[in-house]
Amino acid sequence: MISHPSRHCTVELQALPSRIGQVRRIVSAHLRYWHLDPLIDRAALGVTELLTNVHQHAQPDKLCTVELELLLDRLTVSVHDHDPRLPVAENMGEIAPLATEGRGLAMVAAVSESWGARPDGEQGKVVWFTLPTSAPSVAIPARVPALVTVEEPARRFAGSALNGTRPARSAVVG
């Protein structure tokens, strides 16, 4: 089920690899619709990592809900599942360099403004992260820089057919 209120989106799914890609595309489409294109990559990465954790670790089932909520200048992305165990972020220094697991929450922390987990009733939890929607201000220079001119580059093929003095010839017989 997908709901589309103006600043809220909810997707219920089974956290299977094929569904994770679909949800990533839904999140991207909603952010485009809300004109939040600069957040798409970070939100898609974050939701992918959280859904992958549900797929790999959640018990008793893989059923979950992804929720996007835009309030004022903050986008909150949350994943609700039925496993009451709260996630534990690995210490990056303790993860083997070639390990294929254990970096997901660290990546969520790196791309988000904040993240966390909380119990959701007696059987379940919510893992969430936030992204600021306001872009950093860009300083406008006090004066416009002077126009820089570049000399015309020397002819690369001086004396060749390119300067119009001789006809072009083909090395192909025929």
Side-chain angles (χ1 to χ4, degrees):
M1 175 175 101
I2 302 173
S3 64
H4 304 253
S6 63
R7 300 296 183 177
H8 188 259
C9 172
T10 304
V11 181
E12 294 176 3
L13 71 141
Q14 191 107 33
L16 302 173
S18 62
R19 295 297 311 225
I20 293 170
Q22 291 172 343
V23 172
R24 189 172 47 243
R25 288 187 291 278
I26 291 169
V27 166
S28 298
H30 261 304
L31 294 180
R32 259 188 232 91
Y33 179 72
W34 292 343
H35 304 288
L36 295 173
D37 296 47
L39 303 182
I40 290 173
D41 290 340
R42 293 183 296 153
L45 174 65
V47 79
T48 299
E49 292 303 326
L50 296 184
L51 289 174
T52 299
N53 283 350
V54 172
H55 173 70
Q56 291 179 341
H57 305 293
Q59 297 172 7
D61 58 36
K62 307 300 179 194
L63 194 62
C64 63
T65 303
V66 174
E67 186 174 4
L68 300 177
E69 188 171 28
L70 181 60
L71 293 174
L72 301 174
D73 62 348
R74 194 108 17 295
L75 174 71
T76 302
V77 179
S78 56
V79 175
H80 309 248
D81 67 41
H82 297 125
D83 190 339
R85 297 174 298 156
L86 295 177
V88 177
E90 299 289 333
N91 181 349
M92 291 304 288
E94 295 176 9
I95 299 174
L98 299 177
T100 58
E101 301 183 340
R103 293 182 177 87
L105 291 175
M107 289 186 355
V108 170
V111 301
S112 67
E113 179 180 61
S114 61
W115 77 277
R118 68 179 188 280
D120 186 26
E122 295 201 13
Q123 295 184 353
K125 68 177 167 301
V126 177
V127 183
W128 55 269
F129 64 93
T130 63
L131 299 171
T133 60
S134 57
S137 60
V138 176
I140 299 173
R143 64 180 184 88
V144 178
L147 179 63
V148 177
T149 59
V150 179
E151 291 183 27
E152 184 178 337
R155 285 196 176 263
R156 197 169 177 183
F157 299 104
S160 70
L162 294 179
N163 67 9
T165 60
R166 293 185 287 199
R169 296 181 187 215
S170 173
V172 178
V173 178

